[in-house]
Amino acid sequence: MVDLDPMFEVIQQDNELANISLIRNGLLGCTPTSPELATTFQCLELYHQLRWHQSSFGIQAYAKVLCVLHGAASVVDEDTVKVFEQTGIFLSACRHGIIFTCVEMLHSRELTKYPLATINKLIDVHGSNQAIRSDIRCSLSATLAASSIAQMAWAVNVQLVMNAFHGHAHNHMCQLQHHPLYLPGTGLEDFETCEHVFSSSNATAVLIRHASHIHYVQYLELHFSQWDADKYAELSCFLLNNYRQALRLISTNMAELDAYRALHPNDSLDFESWAAKELAYLKVVESEPKQDALRVMYVEELDKLARLKNALQSSPPIINCHLRQDQA
């Protein structure tokens, strides 16, 4: 890497874009037009080689290394450098969109310790009979069962469900048990509220990506406070629209159901038992019966034997010549 003079001068020629002038001097601007910050090509090449040989080395760690190498970490407040340690946030929200909890993720991706801490907090605040969704409901349920809050979660009847959109990536047996489409009491809820929250909070990235930790927290707090206020103001309209949607679906679907019953009067329409029967069937065929496995193995061995016989018959004969010593 090359240490440039802080007063390094870049001459911009007439009718020349700023980034062109920077590139001629070995720099790359951080924005397409009117860049205020620039990075040397040597710095970018160093990061490229580091990532090429160690893909887990993230941009936050690299930025912190640059601060240390150039003495920035020693002259700025520790709170300023702390922002490089953050990799995102983990939050929870109610079905109406109001934020419940928000946790900073540090030095890690979305690990299971964050949902466990969130579940523990939700139990403390909201008590029993909660349905909590998770993209990784299958693995999270096993982690929760082995955690220190397992007994408490079981005692207050915490139910983990998968969200509707992500749920279709799970196997069908898992969907029949935990997809909101098949769970009584979930109604029209798709459990994708957090995706809507993140879609809105992404707008704060341009403000906080280079901010100190205190301003990072302030901007997020301001954004989510305004988000909650907006959702609370719209709550009556939200509930009314959901109620109207439910009535419309009941009216439409019942008419179609009555028409089907008229055409098929002898059919049993016990819909709730259909999912249970399908789940029972999938559990039975989840593993192959031992007798069937032995039969398949026997046929495979016969096929292997036939191939070996054909190969032996098609190969040229092997002639053993034993020469007597006096003929040699």
Side-chain angles (χ1 to χ4, degrees):
M1 297 180 62
V2 178
D3 289 328
L4 297 178
D5 189 332
M7 300 301 294
F8 184 82
E9 183 178 1
V10 176
I11 300 176
Q12 184 176 2
Q13 299 179 1
D14 295 338
N15 300 324
E16 185 179 51
L17 296 176
N19 264 321
I20 300 298
S21 303
L22 291 173
I23 290 174
R24 285 194 294 102
N25 290 271
L27 301 168
L28 181 65
C30 293
T31 55
T33 59
S34 304
E36 297 181 1
L37 297 173
T39 307
T40 64
F41 289 138
Q42 294 95 332
C43 181
L44 294 175
E45 178 61 21
L46 174 61
Y47 181 63
H48 170 72
Q49 293 298 329
L50 288 172
R51 288 280 294 179
W52 178 263
H53 293 88
Q54 184 63 41
S55 59
S56 62
F57 190 77
I59 187 64
Q60 291 86 2
Y62 183 59
K64 196 168 184 179
V65 168
L66 290 179
C67 290
V68 174
L69 290 177
H70 294 278
S74 60
V75 298
V76 299
D77 190 271
E78 181 182 355
D79 189 57
T80 304
V81 184
K82 187 177 179 181
V83 71
F84 299 130
E85 302 175 352
Q86 296 154 347
T87 56
I89 57 174
F90 186 94
L91 58 81
S92 64
C94 72
R95 62 182 302 177
H96 309 110
I98 297 176
I99 308 298
F100 278 163
T101 62
C102 184
V103 181
E104 289 181 282
M105 295 190 294
L106 302 176
H107 296 290
S108 69
R109 60 188 188 279
E110 191 173 321
L111 301 178
T112 52
K113 63 181 180 180
Y114 300 112
L116 287 179
T118 300
I119 292 172
N120 186 47
K121 182 64 175 180
L122 293 177
I123 292 175
D124 289 341
V125 175
H126 300 286
S128 59
N129 299 321
Q130 297 186 63
I132 302 175
R133 74 91 174 172
S134 173
D135 301 348
I136 53 170
R137 189 267 167 208
C138 304
S139 59
L140 181 59
S141 61
T143 305
L144 178 61
S147 68
S148 59
I149 63 172
Q151 292 296 328
M152 178 176 60
W154 179 83
V156 297
N157 191 31
V158 168
Q159 184 178 9
L160 296 180
V161 302
M162 64 179 69
N163 32 340
F165 178 75
H166 292 80
H168 291 292
H170 292 239
N171 66 66
H172 196 58
M173 189 183 301
C174 183
Q175 292 184 39
L176 288 171
Q177 298 177 85
H178 309 296
H179 197 283
L181 181 64
Y182 303 104
L183 293 178
T186 55
L188 301 176
E189 180 58 40
D190 59 8
F191 292 92
E192 297 286 0
T193 306
C194 288
E195 306 305 325
H196 298 288
V197 177
F198 288 135
S199 178
S200 173
S201 63
N202 286 341
T204 64
V206 295
L207 300 174
I208 64 177
R209 61 187 304 174
H210 297 302
S212 63
H213 182 256
I214 181 62
H215 293 302
Y216 172 90
V217 175
Q218 284 178 339
Y219 275 116
L220 287 179
E221 171 66 22
L222 179 63
H223 174 81
F224 288 137
S225 295
Q226 185 61 49
W227 170 275
D228 284 348
D230 293 341
K231 292 301 176 183
Y232 187 77
E234 300 169 357
L235 186 56
S236 298
C237 184
F238 174 84
L239 295 175
L240 178 61
N241 289 337
N242 275 12
Y243 180 68
R244 287 175 174 173
Q245 182 185 11
L247 292 179
R248 184 171 62 254
L249 288 174
I250 292 174
S251 176
T252 303
N253 293 343
M254 288 303 296
E256 295 179 357
L257 185 59
D258 291 339
Y260 182 86
R261 282 174 174 164
L263 293 175
H264 307 277
N266 298 325
D267 287 358
S268 175
L269 300 180
D270 187 5
F271 298 110
E272 295 182 357
S273 66
W274 290 359
K277 291 178 180 178
E278 184 178 4
L279 178 61
Y281 170 76
L282 291 176
K283 287 182 177 180
V284 170
V285 299
E286 183 178 8
S287 58
E288 187 178 16
K290 186 176 181 180
Q291 190 66 23
D292 292 347
L294 289 175
R295 290 171 180 171
V296 172
M297 185 183 301
Y298 179 73
V299 173
E300 290 176 348
E301 293 300 324
L302 288 178
D303 183 62
K304 186 186 299 183
L305 178 61
R307 290 199 304 269
L308 291 175
K309 286 182 177 180
N310 291 334
L312 183 61
Q313 293 174 358
S314 60
S315 61
I318 300 176
I319 302 176
N320 293 325
C321 297
H322 299 283
L323 297 179
R324 290 166 50 183
Q325 187 173 3
D326 57 351
Q327 293 177 340

